[in-house]
Amino acid sequence: MEAHISFERQRLIGLDAPRPLIISGPCSAESESQVLQTALALKKLDRVHVLRAGVWKPRTRPSNFEGIGSVALAWVRAAGKATGLPTAIEVANSRHVEEALKAGIDILWIGARSTANPFAVQEIADTLRGTDTPILVKNPVNPDIELWIGALERVNKAGITKLGAIHRGFSTFERSKYRNKPTWEIPIELKRRVPGLPIICDPSHICGRTETLQEVAQNALDLNFDGLMIESHVRPGEALSDAKQQLTPEETGQLLSKLVFRHESVTDVLTRTKLEELRERINKIDHEVLNIMAERMAVAEEIGSYKKQNNITILQASRWDEIVRTRLEEGQEKNLTKDFVMKLFEIIHRESIEHQSRVMNE
Ligand code: PEP
Ligand code: MN
């Protein structure tokens, strides 16, 4: 389905949003001095554009710290004033929106749990109507791009055009090196479906720990994201929420200075020709991949009709096991990751089964 979203790319935080836009600050506002000290230290880096802080925290379990609440709004606002940085907080219902706007907070974001709930998003959107507050919409906790786009559409329909998306990863049942798996194909698909919509990556909530932040932040820039949201706290060890993933402002500065910024397009003629040549090779290879897949499915259909004549089931566990084993082995020799080869053959096999079923049930 087509996405119906109109936005003003350059107006996310005023007339000329810097790129990449860096949003940083504590997961939660915990005390007036914690917010102020963090903000001042971040300002000193001279590369942070927006101060973030959570005032109301949607926590998975009720025993976790749920934020200071309304009184913290004034602390965030004061830290913004002291540093000259625009401020951003999360809102989850219409009371939050009203109080945040009254307190003079500049940018609001809708958290991952709220994006997954169309009632909450609609309530927020209705309360925003008539304002021109910049709104950032985090991806829903589950990997559902329609929910993400739907939330952006609801906010946009309420007349908000200073819009952006935040990619914070997706929760999974399985154990993974990430707190929330990045599943980069989803924000990439969002870019394709809503061209030009600013997308900011939140490596802090993707990683859940500090060790992998650099790598994920760099991945996001290499995928041409428009900015980063990084949680930063003057004393991460004492943080009341998300302690393991927060950096000190100085560490945030180090992370930012180690990032490599690359251009989306090349202006130099020689580099461009070389790139075009390589892309042409990729085009040919993809063409071959599709031909080979079509050929494989044609053979699968022949197998289907053979199995039909001889009354044999489509799936034979031992054959699938043999395919997995041999392909993984061969993939390893060819320097392809196990994960990739496994996923590749899972979808090839699923498609083969569909072709066979079609023939068998004709
Ligand atoms: C946060 O930004 O601190 C937060 C709660 O994020 P998310 O909605 O991505 O979990
Ligand atoms: Mn957090």
Side-chain angles (χ1 to χ4, degrees):
M1 214 171 33
E2 221 185 303
H4 299 282
I5 300 168
S6 56
F7 51 85
E8 302 165 76
R9 181 173 174 73
Q10 295 310 325
R11 298 204 52 215
L12 189 60
I13 59 154
L15 280 175
D16 44 2
R19 207 169 173 279
L21 181 75
I22 307 296
I23 304 174
S24 190
C27 176
S28 302
E30 298 167 1
S31 70
E32 189 165 12
S33 72
Q34 170 250 10
V35 178
L36 185 62
Q37 283 175 29
T38 307
L40 289 170
L42 286 170
K43 173 67 184 175
K44 229 167 74 188
L45 302 176
D46 206 23
R47 352 188 19 156
V48 171
H49 309 107
V50 178
L51 175 69
R52 68 150 277 158
V55 167
W56 299 283
K57 300 303 297 178
R59 298 285 88 182
T60 305
R61 303 287 298 273
S63 49
N64 298 340
F65 172 66
E66 293 192 300
I68 296 283
S70 314
V71 281
L73 290 168
W75 306 342
V76 178
R77 176 81 172 120
K81 273 210 171 135
T83 53
L85 294 174
T87 51
I89 68 158
E90 171 176 352
V91 289
N93 58 38
S94 69
R95 180 176 64 86
H96 294 168
V97 175
E98 279 160 6
E99 289 191 27
L101 294 183
K102 206 167 132 214
I105 303 295
D106 304 285
I107 300 172
L108 307 180
W109 83 80
I110 299 179
R113 293 158 193 79
S114 304
T115 305
N117 176 0
F119 288 127
V121 176
Q122 193 57 53
E123 178 184 319
I124 294 167
D126 290 341
T127 317
L128 286 167
R129 198 177 294 277
T131 74
D132 72 340
T133 316
I135 303 295
L136 297 167
V137 180
K138 284 200 170 196
N139 65 254
V141 277
N142 53 325
D144 183 341
I145 191 167
E146 300 301 333
L147 263 177
W148 200 1
I149 291 177
L152 286 158
E153 282 174 334
R154 282 176 201 278
V155 175
N156 191 216
K157 271 190 165 173
I160 301 297
T161 54
K162 293 176 186 166
L163 261 186
I166 303 177
H167 168 236
R168 51 77 83 193
F170 304 89
S171 65
T172 50
F173 180 61
E174 82 231 37
R175 283 202 160 275
S176 134
K177 77 175 214 195
Y178 301 107
R179 176 177 175 195
N180 293 293
K181 253 172 102 169
T183 320
W184 297 102
E185 46 290 15
I186 295 181
I188 290 172
E189 176 63 6
L190 181 65
K191 269 177 181 291
R192 195 185 69 79
R193 298 265 298 269
V194 193
L197 179 78
I199 307 188
I200 288 160
C201 180
D202 170 353
S204 304
H205 290 88
I206 290 177
C207 297
R209 56 199 178 104
T210 55
E211 294 81 354
T212 42
L213 284 174
Q214 187 83 44
E215 174 194 321
V216 170
Q218 186 65 54
N219 280 344
L221 292 189
D222 292 344
L223 290 171
N224 209 17
F225 274 62
D226 302 272
L228 298 170
M229 182 190 248
I230 298 172
E231 284 188 341
S232 190
H233 188 296
V234 263
R235 287 173 295 276
E238 295 169 20
L240 299 179
S241 60
D242 292 351
K244 281 198 285 217
Q245 71 194 32
Q246 301 201 63
L247 297 174
T248 62
E250 294 69 31
E251 287 165 341
T252 302
Q254 283 156 18
L255 181 146
L256 293 174
S257 63
K258 277 194 229 149
L259 289 172
V260 183
F261 300 95
R262 299 181 167 100
H263 310 284
E264 182 174 12
S265 53
V266 274
T267 40
D268 168 53
V269 181
L270 275 181
T271 322
R272 194 164 60 212
T273 321
K274 178 74 190 157
L275 183 63
E276 275 161 11
E277 202 181 292
L278 291 170
R279 283 189 169 155
E280 197 40 51
R281 273 170 64 193
I282 291 279
N283 290 348
K284 283 207 182 99
I285 294 170
D286 285 352
H287 176 70
E288 282 168 35
V289 168
L290 289 173
N291 275 341
I292 288 177
M293 285 302 127
E295 195 180 327
R296 195 187 194 282
M297 295 312 150
V299 176
E301 287 177 13
E302 275 187 49
I303 293 185
S305 83
Y306 178 85
K307 286 180 178 168
K308 184 178 182 174
Q309 278 160 25
N310 295 283
N311 218 18
I312 307 175
T313 58
I314 292 181
L315 186 70
Q316 277 120 12
S318 59
R319 169 66 180 151
W320 173 231
D321 181 55
E322 179 200 327
I323 291 183
V324 171
R325 230 170 352 91
T326 54
R327 282 19 164 207
L328 284 178
E329 233 167 68
E330 191 176 338
Q332 208 164 18
E333 283 162 21
K334 298 192 155 107
N335 225 355
L336 298 169
T337 64
K338 212 172 142 182
D339 186 45
F340 168 72
V341 176
M342 191 67 210
K343 277 193 193 135
L344 178 65
F345 279 92
E346 267 167 1
I347 53 169
I348 291 177
H349 189 240
R350 205 184 314 142
E351 180 76 6
S352 274
I353 288 178
E354 262 168 43
H355 279 259
Q356 289 189 37
S357 309
R358 213 176 303 147
V359 171
M360 282 187 122
N361 298 311
E362 248 163 21

